[in-house]
Amino acid sequence: MRFVVRNTGRMMHEMVIGTSEELAKHAAMMAKFPNMEHDEGYMVHVDPGTTGEIIWHFNRAGSFEFACLIAGHYEAGMRGTLTVTPKQGAAK
């Protein structure tokens, strides 16, 4: 799956994919260390006026979450849910 993230705002944003527990833990860490730099395959940082992307292979169906974990953004509601369904015709 390819996610294209466009930042039309004036602040840096990011998209991080994970479980609700992982995202909450990471958001708390970002609040304590707002200038922390990190780069993983399940996240993308997007400067104002730019575009970034994540290419991610989901290995199972289910609900997954995503969020912006820049300090205060997660708490302000910058998060959502991804629903991954089984591929049509996939063996059970």
Side-chain angles (χ1 to χ4, degrees):
M1 168 112 355
R2 180 175 178 230
F3 297 94
V4 177
V5 184
R6 289 184 179 85
N7 183 351
T8 60
R10 294 188 216 156
M11 305 176 75
M12 166 148 358
H13 289 286
E14 65 180 7
M15 179 180 175
V16 181
I17 301 170
T19 66
S20 59
E21 295 82 16
E22 291 166 340
L23 294 176
K25 183 178 177 181
H26 194 143
M29 187 181 313
M30 290 293 290
K32 288 182 183 178
F33 306 102
N35 296 319
M36 180 176 76
E37 292 188 23
H38 51 286
D39 189 27
E40 302 289 343
Y42 54 85
M43 65 177 61
V44 63
H45 302 90
V46 188
D47 288 320
T50 66
T51 301
E53 67 178 45
I54 298 174
I55 298 177
W56 192 253
H57 174 74
F58 292 94
N59 59 7
R60 61 182 159 67
S63 291
F64 302 88
E65 296 191 19
F66 67 94
C68 179
L69 300 179
I70 301 295
H73 293 198
Y74 178 80
E75 296 79 5
M78 293 182 130
R79 54 189 160 191
T81 302
L82 301 165
T83 302
V84 178
T85 56
K87 188 175 183 178
Q88 294 292 338
K92 294 183 181 182

